[in-house]
Amino acid sequence: MSIEVSLDRVLLERKMTLTELAERVGITLANLSILKTGKARAVRFSTLEAICRELDCQPGDLLRYREG
Amino acid sequence: MQTSRLPRVLMRLTDLTIVLLVLAAVLSVVVVVVSGSNGSDARLKVPVEFTPDRSTYELTSRAWGEGVIESAQGSAVFENPGPGLFVGSAAAGIVIFIVPAFVVLLLLRRIFGTMAGGTPFVRENILRIRWIGWLMIIFGVLSQVVRWGLVLFVHGNVAATGLDVSLQIDQSLVQPDMTMVFMGLVVLALAEVFRHGVQLQTDSDLTV
């Protein structure tokens, strides 16, 4: 997939675990893992909004388009 | 997601049908074995249509003069056809009907199982539905071929001197019955719809 997810990098910068983020955002750890590993087919705006709020970042910090 | 009770009921019904089918298969084998060991006193009755030889009868009418019998109908009875026919028909019945029906029931049971578990839209079910469709088509074609074969076999094996004998063919045996083939095609179409459902389910599962 040419959309790259940088959730692990942002989590590392914020010193936050995936479990903690899942609890704060209110989605399951399994779903957040799908997003982190780049297996997700779609992201709801509401999920993206909650993640950006909790990590204090912009959607562009999490998602990046890569050629090919 | 809350699952309906219907798939579980259907699973139980499928189990019951599988048991009945196995019993039917065992029973047909037993009947063949018993009739074979008893010297097979079963008679073979073949419906025939014939034109009697004109030298063997005289048909007259006071009002209309002489006549001929163009066509007469009756039954040819064979007292001792031998066990081969019964063994053959039982074996053909098991191979053509019971085995595919058994496979279809097992596949249906697994489909109902996934429905009862709340996850019907899985890739395995697409293959199961496709198998059911193809088996129905194969069964429809094969049973038709066997019926035509049976008609030809009996027709080729009945001969009588003095009579022009032809087999009185039952129309239901000769006319092609495409019901199973059409039903199989419908099931294959449903498998394609199911494939789309699986894709939507995957999209939904991978949406965060």
Side-chain angles (χ1 to χ4, degrees), chain B residues 34-159:
Chain B
V34 168
S35 65
S37 64
N38 286 347
S40 184
D41 55 350
R43 299 183 335 152
L44 175 67
K45 199 171 177 182
V46 181
V48 289
E49 189 175 291
F50 56 92
T51 308
D53 191 329
R54 285 195 68 177
S55 62
T56 61
Y57 68 93
E58 213 170 280
L59 184 66
T60 52
S61 161
R62 280 185 199 168
W64 307 307
E66 277 193 20
V68 289
I69 300 171
E70 273 188 353
S71 167
Q73 291 180 349
S75 295
V77 176
F78 300 92
E79 293 295 341
N80 189 16
L85 185 81
F86 296 102
V87 173
S89 59
I94 288 171
V95 171
I96 294 163
F97 176 72
I98 293 180
V99 171
F102 187 73
V103 175
V104 166
L105 285 170
L106 282 182
L107 291 168
L108 273 177
R109 198 194 180 284
R110 291 193 176 174
I111 292 169
F112 293 143
T114 59
M115 285 176 176
T119 54
F121 290 112
V122 288
R123 289 197 181 280
E124 290 79 7
N125 277 355
I126 305 173
L127 289 176
R128 285 169 189 151
I129 296 172
R130 274 189 194 150
W131 264 105
I132 291 172
W134 281 115
L135 279 171
M136 286 168 82
I137 291 171
I138 291 167
F139 172 76
V141 171
L142 214 60
S143 62
Q144 192 61 51
V145 167
V146 166
R147 281 194 288 174
W148 281 339
L150 197 69
V151 168
L152 286 174
F153 175 78
V154 177
H155 192 54
N157 278 278
V158 175

Side-chain angles (χ1 to χ4, degrees), chain A:
Chain A
M1 197 166 184
S2 48
I3 296 290
E4 221 173 54
V5 181
S6 319
L7 185 61
D8 46 354
R9 183 180 52 78
V10 180
L11 279 170
L12 202 70
E13 285 170 8
R14 305 291 189 275
K15 293 184 174 59
M16 195 186 288
T17 63
L18 202 66
T19 314
E20 195 183 338
L21 181 65
E23 281 169 8
R24 285 191 184 194
V25 171
I27 63 171
T28 62
L29 185 61
N31 267 349
L32 210 53
S33 292
I34 289 172
L35 181 64
K36 198 190 118 189
T37 51
K39 287 177 187 164
R41 293 242 179 120
V43 187
R44 289 189 189 90
F45 276 174
S46 56
T47 309
L48 195 59
E49 184 188 329
I51 292 172
C52 287
R53 186 186 64 231
E54 294 305 324
L55 293 176
D56 189 24
C57 67
Q58 291 299 311
D61 298 330
L62 297 169
L63 306 172
R64 200 163 57 114
Y65 174 71
R66 198 181 57 180
E67 284 286 339

Side-chain angles (χ1 to χ4, degrees), chain B residues 22-40:
Chain B
V22 171
L23 280 176
V26 170
L27 201 67
S28 64
V29 170
V30 167
V31 166
V32 167
V33 169
V34 168
S35 65
S37 64
N38 286 347
S40 184

